[in-house]
Amino acid sequence: MTMTTVGVIFVLTLVAALVAVYKPFGDYMFRAVAGTKQSRAERGVYRLVGVNPAAEQTWGVYARSVLAFSAVSILFLYLFQRVQNHLWLSLGFDPVVPHGAWNTAVSFVTNTNWQSYSGESTMGHLVQMAGLAVQNFVSAAVGIAVAVALVRGFARSRTGQLGNFWVDLIRIVLRILLPIAVLGAIALMIGGVVQNLSAGTDVSTLTGGAQTVTGGPVASQEAIKELGTNGGGFYNVNSAHPFENPTTWTNWLEIFLILLIPFSLPRVFGRMVGQNRQGYAIAAVMGILAFASVALTNVFELAGHGTVPQAVGAAMEGKEVRFDVSNSATFAAATTLTSTGAVNSFHDSFTSLGGMMTMVNMMLGEVAPGGTGSGLYGLLILAVITVFIAGLMVGRTPEYLGKKIGSREIKFASLYFLITPILVLVGTAAAFATGNNSTALNVGPHGLSEVLYAFTSASNNNGSAFAGITVNTTWWDTALGLCMLLGRFLPLIFVLALAGSLARQAPTPASEGTLPTHRPLFIGMVVGVTVVLVALTFLPALALGPLAEGL
């Protein structure tokens, strides 16, 4: 079979698997977040942290709970890295430098997992397991919890209550992320991914001793990483390392785990609002955007556009032979369509237009299907903007799921959408204005792409890198850390504020003039609004970077 045929089969089997699990796994997640029964383990955790599971919260209290939990997590993870040389299983590593510890703490707590260093030569096992891996769980759970709170805003009426953040967090971790991560880790170990705590021997150099880690708790972290749609990995080369991703079928499994939760969450949305067809509509928008992205990325990479790829017959630079071009392109599309950030190839070595697609995927707001939770609430924000535009076109007060979209609601939605582009474009401009773009490996359009990609990845909480820029400096760690922090929590506050505003409304009965939001017309409108908004915002920057390079 040709490489193209293999790639098509790979993608089609992924689609079939995701369609097969959409309903059962979505129903399982719905029962996990909407059920009233409490397990013994959950009751024990509630008593330990002093939470009353029967008490609900307004959007303000819910938001303060999220921010307080995240702030404590950042502080703990920062201190954990700074004292790692005194900890068990430190492997003799020095403390992480302050700007690196700050960047990493913010990165993992915001579900970004951007790493500006080689994990296997910087972090000991305890920090990797008890620090970074724990955040793989809880930061992903925060995203799902906020998405569930927004859906409650649509589903409830005449109330200010959106649930209890602490209950949502604990249930999501114990009922969803932990069980599936365990199953994923077992499957990956069967496929050859390593799971141990052995360290490599010291390799002496002229400048001193350099320890290389040849083992580590890789399988469990890999499953958590992919399932929680997180980027960071035990090894610097991430899922390109044979210890993390040894075969084609483990590559398929990792992509499946990346997409599993985000693509199933629309089912939870449909169940919670009492209209499964609304969930199908949102899933359809995700599917259309995702399929178009995967197809285009594969086409651009398989075409091998560029002097060198055309000369050698394939765009294999920066890709693993065991994955070939197509499977690498599919992985790249999946990891940037979500907030995963894991890589099995170097995006910096992609063709100009293939590399552009990885940026466009993030610039879409990572809504196809997006991160765990963040993809759903991001797409629901775009749905709100779409019904608002449709209402203006026909001269009616816009409505979505029986809730009027007035000036207050559209302000929250607009502010949500504007945050990320501001961070990306201002950050990129600041890097060039201060001369910090000099750390990019290349000059010209490709150098601009490397800087633009870094800020796009950080501001969208993706975590992947073009791998052609040095960002382990004080300026870069600080700037990207601020983008990750603001890019996560400012939109999150606007989402919860919108949820609170919607929950207080009385339901509005549908009429003849109400736009049906479950039909192909609405699905097409949401897709169009998403693409147009991104094009209007980022086209000038893309024209100066990957498009100019492609021409």
Side-chain angles (χ1 to χ4, degrees):
M1 290 188 292
T2 65
M3 187 184 300
T4 302
T5 303
V6 172
V8 170
I9 295 173
F10 189 90
V11 171
L12 291 180
T13 54
L14 270 173
V15 172
L18 291 169
V19 170
V21 301
Y22 172 80
K23 184 176 180 180
F25 187 63
D27 289 343
Y28 172 77
M29 287 197 293
F30 167 73
R31 291 191 296 270
V33 299
T36 57
K37 294 183 179 179
Q38 303 167 12
S39 68
R40 182 177 300 177
E42 290 167 354
R43 290 195 296 270
V45 176
Y46 296 149
R47 286 194 295 269
L48 181 65
V49 298
V51 170
N52 178 9
E56 294 209 354
Q57 299 171 325
T58 63
W59 82 263
V61 177
Y62 202 103
R64 288 195 294 273
S65 299
V66 172
L67 296 176
F69 175 74
S70 301
V72 171
S73 298
I74 291 173
L75 179 61
F76 170 79
L77 193 52
Y78 175 84
L79 294 175
F80 209 24
Q81 296 172 81
R82 295 290 294 143
V83 301
Q84 79 158 345
N85 57 314
H86 300 296
L87 301 176
W88 181 55
L89 294 176
S90 68
L91 304 180
F93 292 141
D94 293 328
V96 181
V97 296
H99 60 84
W102 141 263
N103 184 275
T104 301
V106 170
S107 176
F108 278 76
V109 172
T110 59
N111 197 230
T112 309
N113 294 24
W114 170 280
Q115 291 179 290
S116 59
Y117 51 84
S118 300
E120 70 269 31
S121 61
T122 305
M123 302 287 187
H125 289 326
L126 188 63
V127 174
Q128 290 267 17
M129 294 185 297
L132 306 189
V134 168
Q135 287 303 319
N136 285 169
F137 278 108
V138 296
S139 64
V142 167
I144 300 176
V146 172
V148 169
L150 176 59
V151 176
R152 290 191 185 116
F154 284 108
R156 296 181 177 183
S157 301
R158 300 187 182 93
T159 180
Q161 308 300 312
L162 294 177
N164 187 307
F165 166 71
W166 305 104
V167 173
D168 291 339
L169 179 74
I170 293 166
R171 282 185 172 184
I172 291 165
V173 170
L174 295 183
R175 298 187 184 188
I176 300 175
L177 296 177
L178 185 59
I180 307 302
V182 170
L183 295 175
I186 294 172
L188 287 171
M189 283 189 287
I190 293 172
V193 179
V194 194
Q195 175 72 18
N196 61 54
L197 287 175
S198 63
T201 57
D202 290 334
V203 180
S204 299
T205 66
L206 294 176
T207 57
Q211 188 177 56
T212 59
V213 180
T214 59
V218 181
S220 55
Q221 284 194 240
E222 190 69 14
I224 297 164
K225 178 183 74 176
E226 310 302 353
L227 185 65
T229 59
N230 293 290
F234 191 89
Y235 294 106
N236 185 42
V237 294
N238 211 270
S239 289
H241 199 294
F243 283 2
E244 287 198 22
N245 192 6
T247 66
T248 300
W249 84 262
T250 60
N251 192 56
W252 185 96
L253 178 60
E254 290 185 10
I255 298 175
F256 174 75
L257 291 174
I258 287 171
L259 301 173
L260 173 62
I261 292 177
F263 261 127
S264 299
L265 277 173
R267 176 70 179 182
V268 180
F269 166 64
R271 290 289 305 271
M272 291 184 68
V273 298
Q275 300 182 54
N276 285 330
R277 59 188 184 180
Q278 299 291 346
Y280 288 125
I282 295 298
V285 175
M286 291 179 173
I288 291 170
L289 291 171
F291 187 81
S293 171
V294 171
L296 287 173
T297 306
N298 271 274
V299 167
F300 292 144
E301 288 302 296
L302 289 169
H305 176 69
T307 304
V308 174
Q310 288 179 354
V312 300
M316 279 299 296
E317 181 188 348
K319 298 181 177 71
E320 288 295 310
V321 175
R322 67 186 184 277
F323 300 141
D324 69 50
V325 173
S326 181
N327 290 356
S328 299
T330 301
F331 195 105
T335 195
T336 50
L337 283 167
T338 61
S339 66
T340 306
V343 295
N344 73 348
S345 57
F346 288 119
H347 297 177
D348 191 46
S349 297
F350 275 36
T351 61
S352 55
L353 298 183
M356 179 190 70
M357 285 305 304
T358 61
M359 281 188 274
V360 170
N361 291 339
M362 294 183 285
M363 291 171 178
L364 287 171
E366 293 179 340
V367 295
T372 47
S374 60
L376 177 61
Y377 65 66
L379 195 51
L380 290 177
I381 292 289
L382 287 167
V384 167
I385 294 175
T386 301
V387 297
F388 181 78
I389 294 173
L392 293 179
M393 293 171 66
V394 298
R396 279 183 54 89
T397 301
E399 303 168 11
Y400 187 45
L401 299 177
K403 300 298 177 73
K404 291 186 179 296
I405 307 301
S407 61
R408 178 181 176 85
E409 289 76 22
I410 199 61
K411 285 176 184 176
F412 289 139
S414 300
L415 288 170
Y416 172 94
F417 178 80
L418 290 172
I419 290 298
T420 302
I422 290 173
L423 294 174
V424 172
L425 298 176
V426 171
T428 302
F432 280 90
T434 58
N436 283 282
N437 62 301
S438 61
T439 61
L441 182 63
N442 296 273
V443 296
H446 198 78
L448 172 61
S449 295
E450 289 172 344
V451 175
L452 180 64
Y453 192 105
F455 280 101
T456 302
S457 178
S459 302
N460 284 282
N461 301 129
N462 181 268
S464 66
F466 236 31
I469 185 170
T470 301
V471 292
N472 194 15
T473 67
T474 301
W475 189 91
W476 276 103
D477 277 340
T478 303
L480 294 178
L482 288 172
C483 285
M484 289 184 281
L485 197 68
L486 297 175
R488 172 71 163 183
F489 294 112
L490 286 181
L492 186 148
I493 291 171
F494 293 133
V495 168
L496 291 173
L498 175 62
S501 179
L502 294 170
R504 285 192 295 270
Q505 291 187 27
T508 302
S511 65
E512 289 295 328
T514 301
L515 173 67
T517 55
H518 61 279
R519 294 179 180 172
L521 173 63
F522 180 73
I523 294 170
M525 289 179 65
V526 177
V527 171
V529 167
T530 303
V531 173
V532 169
L533 286 177
V534 171
L536 292 174
T537 305
F538 291 107
L539 184 59
L542 292 172
L544 294 172
L547 284 174
E549 182 185 0
L551 293 173

